[in-house]
Amino acid sequence: MSCVFCAIVAGDAPAIRVYEDDDYLAILDIRPFTRGHTLVIPKRHTIDLTDTPPETVAGMVTLGQRIARAARRSGLHADGNNLAINDGKAAFQTVFHIHLHVVPRRNGDKLSFAKGMVLRRDPDREESARLLREALAQLDTTPSAE
């Protein structure tokens, strides 16, 4: 299976590069939500949050924060930014090479990032918390074989 992000990293597919170092590549999104929408991509292929080392995710966020700062200071005149990782098909991930979206925002830009977030209700918050605590405890005692 071919990966478009791996092809971009290798220089075999076109992209507008914003930043690059030994571990990460930042490129403009081909279908941007806003002007300056950037993707932070680890050069080492992993699919999603379940198989990506925590250090890699931390590096993506660190670089994403720098790009967000740059969007505020640049001619993009961003007033803020959305940072997002779509983790899996159910979370709208379409390229299965983990990546971080940095979406510059301007006051009044009318972008509705996630309409479903307007009405946020959990029918049983205590049960949700219990399930997560239980799973976290299992992760802490189980060798990493997710």
Side-chain angles (χ1 to χ4, degrees), residues 1-132:
M1 175 185 344
S2 67
C3 170
V4 67
F5 287 170
C6 287
I8 290 169
V9 167
D12 297 333
I16 297 176
R17 294 168 184 250
V18 173
Y19 175 87
E20 184 170 7
D21 63 23
D22 291 341
D23 300 313
Y24 300 94
L25 175 63
I27 62 172
L28 289 183
D29 193 302
I30 197 165
R31 293 185 316 238
F33 283 112
T34 63
R35 185 172 179 216
H37 179 170
T38 302
L39 305 177
V40 176
I41 305 164
K43 289 185 172 181
R44 183 176 170 271
H45 182 89
T46 57
I47 295 171
D48 55 31
L49 283 172
T50 63
D51 73 336
T52 302
E55 312 79 53
T56 300
V57 175
M60 289 169 46
V61 172
T62 299
L63 179 51
Q65 182 183 37
R66 288 187 64 217
I67 293 167
R69 266 195 217 112
R72 284 178 178 247
R73 293 181 183 170
S74 72
L76 295 175
H77 306 290
D79 297 311
N81 293 271
N82 286 109
L83 300 182
I85 296 174
N86 298 338
D87 177 37
K89 187 175 180 179
F92 311 112
Q93 185 177 3
T94 57
V95 177
F96 294 92
H97 180 132
I98 194 163
H99 54 286
L100 172 73
H101 293 261
V102 181
V103 182
R105 301 297 303 272
R106 294 188 71 183
N107 291 327
D109 66 14
K110 307 283 190 230
L111 176 64
S112 181
F113 205 77
K115 290 184 181 196
M117 293 182 77
V118 174
L119 180 62
R120 300 184 306 215
R121 292 196 180 120
D122 183 337
D124 191 346
R125 295 175 63 217
E126 290 297 331
E127 176 64 3
S128 297
R130 185 193 68 74
L131 290 168
L132 287 169

